[in-house]
Amino acid sequence: MTLIEFLTARLDEDELVARSCATERWTVKDGWHDGLDMEVLSSTYPACIEPEEATHTARHDPARVLAEVEAKRRIVDAAQRNPHAPWDAYAIGRDDLGRRALRALALPYADHPDFDEGWRP
Amino acid sequence: MTLTEFLTARLNEDEAAARETLTKRPDPVSRAEFLAEHEISDAEVVRRAAARRIAFHDTNTWLVGVSPHRVLAEVEAKRQLINRVEQHAEFVDAVRETDSLRYDRVALHLLAPLALPYADHPDYDEAWRP
């Protein structure tokens, strides 16, 4: 499995799970969560349903996850479609900047069984 | 405000909120521990999420990006990416100052997408939109 295949698979998963959420927007209203499925979070990640955690949780609603997926796909695409420009012209050793960027993007998934330790920056 | 300054400010906010959450209510369960505890694989979690929507007890919200651990990992990854682009831009400038391969072009491809999730922030500059 290549780094790009790995990243593509993880991004597909993130998108799938975000799209499967009942609501896309989670907000904070009167110091309390608004829009998120309390039943789901209370049984899976209890810390995130406490009112004092509403700000953090709302920052990472499914809409945000989808935006992150889109952003990372653009970077993966740029690194793939432009193998010789603009960064590869000044490859530092064997690691060009595009590849370094992709390795950084793979870090949050380092505990996945398909993650190759050789990809660690 | 430059793109890098904007991104750094947003990442600091993400980090601060995640750390505050962890301080108030430490979460001892990592994604790997969760999967092991419930004896399910990544693929199975994704399959169930797709088939039954997310409302079932054994889906880890880590996958949705809510877990502070995941958020901190994302912040670290993005900071590394920014550092690499900045170092590379300095390297390129030092090698050939008149070259068109300047910071702006590199940033356009590798950093501008990172700002997209924050596009509704008042400090976001539409000129950064890829």
Side-chain angles (χ1 to χ4, degrees), chain A residues 13-14 16-17 20-22 26 37 40-41 43-45 47-48 50 52-53 56-57 59-60 64-65 67-68 71-72 74-75 78 82 86-87 89-90 92 97 100-101 104-105 107-109 111-113 121, chain B residues 10 13-14 18 21 24-25 27 31-32 42 46 49-50 53-55 57 59 61-66 68 70-71 73-74 77-78 80-81 84 88 92 95-96 99 101 106 109-110 113-114 116-118 130:
Chain A
E13 285 176 357
D14 279 355
L16 192 62
V17 175
S20 74
C21 289
W26 299 342
D37 190 333
V40 178
L41 283 181
S43 60
T44 55
Y45 197 75
C48 287
E50 295 300 316
E52 58 264 33
E53 266 72 278
H56 164 80
T57 304
R59 284 180 78 87
H60 303 286
R64 163 74 183 266
V65 172
E68 293 282 347
K72 289 171 185 174
R74 281 173 183 270
I75 295 171
N82 301 283
W87 44 81
Y90 293 100
I92 302 169
L97 182 60
R100 284 166 181 236
L105 287 188
L107 265 184
Y109 310 102
D111 65 352
H112 191 280
Chain B
R10 300 292 80 70
E13 287 173 359
D14 279 352
T21 297
K24 288 176 185 162
R25 188 73 68 93
D27 167 30
R31 180 172 184 244
D42 270 293
V46 172
R53 305 177 67 81
I54 204 152
H57 76 282
T59 292
T61 48
W62 196 98
L63 285 165
V64 203
V66 176
R70 166 73 186 261
V71 171
E74 293 284 347
K78 289 169 184 173
Q80 288 209 13
L81 206 160
R84 268 161 213 169
H88 192 79
V92 168
V95 170
R96 219 196 281 187
D99 200 284
L101 301 177
V106 178
H109 289 281
L110 293 181
L114 286 186
L116 271 179
Y118 310 102

Side-chain angles (χ1 to χ4, degrees), chain B residues 17-37:
Chain B
R19 287 205 187 283
E20 200 183 337
T21 297
L22 278 179
T23 305
K24 288 176 185 162
R25 188 73 68 93
D27 167 30
V29 183
S30 73
R31 180 172 184 244
E33 284 166 344
F34 179 91
L35 294 174
E37 184 187 326

Side-chain angles (χ1 to χ4, degrees), chain A residues 6 12 17-18 27 32 64 66 73 99 106 108 117-119 121:
Chain A
F6 175 81
D12 287 349
V17 175
T27 53
W32 188 250
R64 163 74 183 266
L66 293 176
R73 284 205 176 119
R99 184 151 190 87
E117 284 298 321
W119 296 334

